[in-house]
Each structure stands twice: as structure tokens, then as C-alpha cells.
Amino acid sequence: MAWRANLSRGVKEIRFLFCQSSPASAPAREFVKKNYGDIKARNPSLPVLIRECSGVEPQLWARYDMGVERCVRLDGLTEAQIDSKLEELAKAGGSLKSK
């Protein structure tokens, strides 16, 4: 998980959206509970926003330079798969920065 330490180099903001009570959002809620502290400790200046809304599908958003945003749907994913999606978004930020 060394990529987590470099998360803020390519990503300007991370947003998690999920429902407070739906079973579809349970893995996203657990991922945030277990990993928020580590992500913030490694990237203290990176905004990590948690948005809860009743009935919303779980999503992960990344904002990059120039206001570019990418979204990944988290419905049906496990915590490990969510971690992989966050890594993909982090690496995408590095490639956007080099253009």
C-alpha cells in the first residue's frame, strides 16, 4: 500500500458517497471506518470527504487538476475491491498530471 503515501500527488480530493443504512453501502462504510485514519495520516492535506445520503448508490469520486473528476460505482464491491478502485484512481491522477 505504498501508493497511499503518494495519493495526494495526483489527486486533489477524494469523496465517498453512500447510504447510512443500505446493505449495498455496507462495504463502503466499513472501508471508510477501517482506512480513513491511514489515508489521512499519509496525506494530511488531502481533503477526504464523506457524504451520506439516504438511498444513494455507493460511489467513490476523485478530483484531479483542472477540475477533472472521475467516479467509480462501489455497489457490490468488497472492501478489498474498493481499495483497488482507489488505487486505480490514484494512479490515473499521476497519468493525468503528466499530460
Side-chain angles (χ1 to χ4, degrees), residues 7-25:
L7 188 59
S8 60
R9 290 188 182 163
V11 179
K12 299 299 176 193
E13 176 185 283
I14 296 290
R15 274 190 318 269
F16 288 92
L17 283 78
F18 50 77
C19 178
Q20 307 94 312
S21 58
S22 80
S25 290

Side-chain angles (χ1 to χ4, degrees), residues 25-44:
S25 290
R29 289 192 306 267
E30 285 303 309
F31 178 84
V32 169
K33 283 180 192 175
K34 292 178 182 176
N35 295 282
Y36 177 85
D38 181 56
I39 292 169
K40 283 304 286 183
R42 294 173 188 244
N43 302 278

Side-chain angles (χ1 to χ4, degrees), residues 13-96:
E13 176 185 283
I14 296 290
R15 274 190 318 269
F16 288 92
L17 283 78
F18 50 77
C19 178
Q20 307 94 312
S21 58
S22 80
S25 290
R29 289 192 306 267
E30 285 303 309
F31 178 84
V32 169
K33 283 180 192 175
K34 292 178 182 176
N35 295 282
Y36 177 85
D38 181 56
I39 292 169
K40 283 304 286 183
R42 294 173 188 244
N43 302 278
S45 63
L46 177 68
V48 179
L49 308 175
I50 313 302
R51 300 289 184 245
E52 295 178 317
C53 180
S54 182
V56 74
E57 291 181 24
Q59 305 168 28
L60 172 59
W61 287 83
R63 186 173 53 82
Y64 306 101
D65 283 333
M66 307 291 290
V68 174
E69 292 189 338
R70 295 224 171 126
C71 175
V72 175
R73 304 272 184 227
L74 304 177
D75 193 17
L77 299 182
T78 65
E79 291 177 49
Q81 291 169 322
I82 293 171
D83 193 56
S84 294
K85 293 296 182 183
L86 180 57
E87 182 177 5
E88 288 173 21
L89 289 173
K91 289 180 179 177
S95 66
L96 287 173

